[in-house]
Amino acid sequence: MTALGAEAVSVSRDGPVTRIRLNRADKLNSFNEALVDGLMAAVQRATSDGARLVVFQGEGKGFSGGFDLSAIDDSTDGDLLLRMVRVEELLQAVRHAPVATLALTHGPCYGAAADLVAACNWRVASMNARFRMPGPRFGLVLGTHRLSCLVGTDNARALLLREKPFGAEEALAAGFVTEIAERDSWPDVEARVLSNAAALTAETFDSIASRLVTDTRDADLAALVRSAASGSIKARIKAYLEEVAAARKPK
């Protein structure tokens, strides 16, 4: 097993399968710069070295808490925009990967992490998985078009505008995940997905996958940048965090 991104991501190869693990369990695998860079490097390597399936998992009690905002006071608007652009580049790399992609999720899966799951071909959740995409609440447009293509316009609107997380059953009903399976059965799920992908040549799988996905990479990136650059994204995020903190206080 090799580690990337200052131990934030661990990668292992088992024949045709590359397993990528988010490895910041003490921070709920939140997306800091090291983790995003590690994920990008791992995806690029897996898609160029003959892997047929890339599997994403999170260590610890959940898949990921999403974008790491612990150092927001020391960040500028430019810093935050650059980090968000890097996340969008990662999501695009996964969405348009020439190999099969599988997300195995448990516990919290919020923000950018939920967008990572949505970018995968196969998306599996345990019953305790919880998803949330709070970006619109501070004016950020990240992955919304991909989500709409995945679940349909009405379902995407409902998921994006809701205040509370949604669980595995609602995610399955909306089409956000493709299957509910507990962690002890994930090896069987992985073997089945690999069998489906490996039944085709790598070239055929890539050709089919590329035809099924509309290429809106430039438009998606432009929408993200416009939303982040409209006023101070730092101020908007801080206001959102204060609102969340206030809502958690005992009445």
Side-chain angles (χ1 to χ4, degrees), residues 62-235:
F63 187 79
S64 172
F67 205 75
D68 187 346
L69 297 171
S70 59
I72 189 170
D73 286 336
D74 299 321
S75 301
T76 66
D77 285 325
D79 295 333
L80 293 168
L81 175 57
L82 178 59
R83 288 181 59 195
M84 292 167 185
V85 167
R86 286 291 289 164
V87 170
E88 173 63 21
E89 290 175 336
L90 167 65
L91 300 176
Q92 293 186 4
V94 174
R95 181 62 170 160
H96 295 273
V99 301
T101 50
L102 167 65
L104 299 172
T105 63
H106 72 289
C109 181
Y110 298 157
D115 289 307
L116 174 60
V117 172
C120 292
N121 306 137
W122 282 269
R123 305 168 302 280
V124 177
S126 65
M127 278 299 296
N128 75 341
R130 304 187 306 282
F131 303 93
R132 189 180 187 187
M133 288 165 283
R137 297 198 169 271
F138 45 85
L140 187 68
V141 176
L142 175 67
T144 54
H145 184 265
R146 282 185 297 270
L147 181 64
S148 179
C149 291
L150 184 67
V151 303
T153 302
D154 288 343
N155 282 335
R157 183 184 299 110
L159 297 181
L160 287 168
L161 297 183
R162 61 179 296 142
E163 293 186 19
K164 296 182 179 180
F166 55 97
E169 291 183 338
E170 187 171 353
L172 181 64
F176 185 82
V177 300
T178 54
E179 183 176 348
I180 296 175
E182 296 308 317
R183 298 175 73 178
D184 59 0
S185 67
W186 284 358
D188 294 333
V189 172
E190 182 183 299
R192 173 163 33 89
V193 171
L194 176 62
S195 177
N196 289 338
L200 307 177
T201 66
E203 293 76 12
T204 300
F205 184 91
D206 182 22
S207 178
I208 291 174
S210 63
R211 290 178 180 276
L212 290 175
V213 177
T214 302
D215 191 344
T216 60
R217 280 174 278 194
D218 289 346
D220 291 343
L221 182 57
L224 167 66
V225 172
R226 280 196 301 270
S227 69
S230 178
S232 171
I233 186 62
K234 176 178 177 177

Side-chain angles (χ1 to χ4, degrees), residues 26-51:
D26 58 328
K27 301 295 184 181
L28 194 55
N29 301 318
S30 57
F31 278 42
N32 66 354
E33 293 179 55
L35 187 138
V36 173
D37 288 347
L39 286 173
M40 178 66 85
V43 170
Q44 290 174 337
R45 182 183 301 174
T47 57
S48 63
D49 68 0

